[in-house]
């Protein structure tokens, strides 16, 4: 079962992905986490993407697609992948479909966490206070939200046309959100087992 957790920054994708890892043994593939790890270990890639990430803009498709391909190869026996923060552009979505197809797999379900903008801004302001992530500052956050609206949200109709899109209320308490996600996963699993 391969699923995409979809939504703007701070919608709760990472929190929900971690619960699915703990409860179902899925592998979480967060390109944001991978890029942050590259930065903190000071790799060439990390140095290259640092400024772009801090500004709130997207790094190149080529970079994140390579990171995802590498991870898919590292976990051939995974019971499922949760794509968190990927794909974020049409080119990434196409590359993901192709990468999975080459491995005899596919995206089964895309779960959109719906949240409203003022609530998001409040979440980010709190996270900036708690964690001090440079790209959570208000200017960068605005750019991240813009990138989501302009480059990532256009993927929604594409996944809807494939009957893969489900929406969950991301404003509900964490446990209610995960219950709703579980329901979607059970439904997708049933469909997958019917072939
Ligand atoms: P995130 O933690 O997912 O919000 O990612 C933090 C930052 O990493 C983003 O603002 C982008 O600069 C970069 N990033 C993460 N994932 C992607 C992606 N799929 N495509 C392009 N840039 C990404």
């Amino acid at each position: 079962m391969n699923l995409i957790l979809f939504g703007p920054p701070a919608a709760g994708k990472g929190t929900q992905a971690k619960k699915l890892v703990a409860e179902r043994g899925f592998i979480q593939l967060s390109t944001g986490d991978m890029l942050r790890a590259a930065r903190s270990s000071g790799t060439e890639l990390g140095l290259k993407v640092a400024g772009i990430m801090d500004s709130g803009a997207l790094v190149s498709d080529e970079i994140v697609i390579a990171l995802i391909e590498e991870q898919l190869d590292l976990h051939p026996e995974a019971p499922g992948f949760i794509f968190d923060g990927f794909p974020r552009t049409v080119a990434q979505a196409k590359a993901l479909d192709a990468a999975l197809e080459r491995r005899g797999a596919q995206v089964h379900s895309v779960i959109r966490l719906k949240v409203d903008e003022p609530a998001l801004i409040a979440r980010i302001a709190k996270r900036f206070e708690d964690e001090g992530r440079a790209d959570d500052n208000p200017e960068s956050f605005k750019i991240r939200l813009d990138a989501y609206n302009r480059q990532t949200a256009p993927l929604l109709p594409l996944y809807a046309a494939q009957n893969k899109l489900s929406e969950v209320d991301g404003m509900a308490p964490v446990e209610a959100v995960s219950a709703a996600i579980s329901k979607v996963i059970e439904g997708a699993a049933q469909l997958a087992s019917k072939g």
Side-chain angles (χ1 to χ4, degrees):
M1 170 71 44
N2 299 312
L3 52 114
I4 297 173
L5 282 182
F6 202 97
K13 302 186 296 292
T15 304
Q16 293 300 329
K18 284 182 178 63
K19 286 176 79 72
L20 291 169
V21 169
E23 289 160 15
R24 295 177 188 261
F26 287 175
I27 303 277
Q28 176 191 9
L29 297 185
S30 157
T31 39
D33 285 352
M34 293 173 210
L35 294 168
R36 278 185 288 278
R39 290 182 66 172
S40 51
S41 50
T43 63
E44 198 179 319
L45 171 68
L47 290 173
K48 193 169 158 187
V49 297
I52 303 171
M53 289 177 74
D54 289 346
S55 77
L58 296 185
V59 308
S60 76
D61 289 334
E62 202 187 348
I63 288 176
V64 288
I65 291 165
L67 288 172
I68 288 287
E69 292 251 15
E70 196 178 294
Q71 289 297 316
L72 292 177
D73 286 338
L74 276 176
H75 303 283
E77 306 297 335
F81 290 102
I82 308 156
F83 298 94
D84 161 11
F86 180 93
R88 263 168 145 109
T89 64
V90 173
Q92 292 177 25
K94 287 189 174 153
L96 176 61
D97 281 346
L100 289 173
E101 203 178 314
R102 280 196 294 278
R103 292 163 178 85
Q106 61 166 310
V107 171
H108 294 94
S109 181
V110 179
I111 303 176
R112 175 191 187 186
L113 301 184
K114 280 188 83 173
V115 288
D116 67 68
E117 218 165 279
L120 264 190
I121 291 166
R123 273 188 195 180
I124 281 283
K126 185 171 184 315
R127 191 161 78 179
F128 187 49
E129 272 174 29
D130 292 348
E131 299 172 24
R133 256 175 71 169
D135 61 351
D136 281 346
N137 79 67
E139 297 77 37
S140 298
F141 182 63
K142 191 183 171 306
I143 294 172
R144 291 166 70 200
L145 211 49
D146 276 358
Y148 173 78
N149 287 323
R150 284 187 297 107
Q151 292 171 272
T152 309
L155 298 182
L156 290 168
L158 303 183
Y159 287 121
Q162 298 173 27
N163 287 324
K164 290 182 175 170
L165 183 65
S166 304
E167 296 192 339
V168 159
D169 175 12
M171 304 311 296
V174 173
E175 291 306 325
V177 176
S178 37
I181 289 176
S182 286
K183 229 169 139 179
V184 173
I185 294 175
E186 304 309 335
Q190 266 189 8
L191 266 184
S193 71
K194 284 182 192 148

